[in-house]
Amino acid sequence: TTSSIPKRFVIQWECKFTGVANIDNLTFVMGLVPSVTSTRATANIIGFALSADAIQTVTDSGGVETVSSPVGITLTDRNEYRIEVSRPGGTSTVEFFINDTLVSTSTTNIPLLNAYWTAFTDNEAVAADANQVDIGAIVAKYHDSDFGTWEA
């Protein structure tokens, strides 16, 4: 099978949460998704999600997931999130970073690279302004070969 993933794709952004306990963990996702209406429940995602109000990394191909739960992340601090997707030797790998620290690596359940970046959030049964996901600058770049320059 041929993958549409470039040799290396990197996307990073800053994020700070307010009212984490009020965010619907079943729908929250920030990362690469297949459509503008995608949520955590959508198949074929590469991103960060929430579980029990703690950050989690997810690769999902066709509804089959690989999940990891990094520890020691204070979501109410401004953190830098980064996803690096690569295919060294044709094998896809996804690395997840928080504040420049590698927190998870996935080599399974990696979908074809999705066309949309999202930070989908919804409230649990509370007031509409009970949570906030404050996103900073988003930077994306890719590299199509083993050598050469990065494209932004």
Side-chain angles (χ1 to χ4, degrees):
T1 332
T2 308
S3 173
S4 63
I5 297 175
K7 289 284 187 178
R8 188 165 196 76
F9 176 79
V10 178
I11 188 161
Q12 63 188 46
W13 64 94
E14 292 179 341
C15 181
K16 179 180 179 180
F17 294 82
T18 304
V20 178
N22 299 319
I23 296 174
D24 185 346
N25 287 211
L26 298 177
T27 60
F28 175 82
V29 63
M30 60 181 177
L32 303 168
V33 297
S35 76
V36 295
T37 58
S38 296
T39 71
R40 171 66 179 86
T42 305
N44 301 318
I45 61 175
I46 298 172
F48 292 92
L50 292 176
S51 177
D53 298 328
I55 203 73
Q56 165 179 87
T57 65
V58 180
T59 55
D60 178 309
S61 181
V64 180
E65 297 184 345
T66 299
V67 177
S68 179
S69 298
V71 295
I73 308 301
T74 303
L75 296 177
T76 53
D77 290 346
R78 181 162 295 282
N79 295 299
E80 181 182 283
Y81 296 84
R82 184 170 80 233
I83 298 172
E84 297 190 10
V85 182
S86 61
R87 55 177 189 170
T91 302
S92 296
T93 300
V94 177
E95 295 176 316
F96 295 92
F97 295 82
I98 300 177
N99 300 324
D100 291 323
T101 300
L102 179 64
V103 296
S104 177
T105 300
S106 180
T107 57
T108 58
N109 303 316
I110 300 170
L112 294 180
L113 191 59
N114 295 305
Y116 300 95
W117 180 89
T118 192
F120 184 92
T121 184
D122 200 3
N123 290 316
E124 291 180 338
V126 294
D129 62 350
N131 75 62
Q132 182 176 358
V133 179
D134 178 15
I135 302 292
I138 303 169
V139 176
K141 54 188 176 179
Y142 70 93
H143 200 277
D144 262 341
S145 65
D146 293 328
F147 304 99
T149 58
W150 284 90
E151 303 293 332

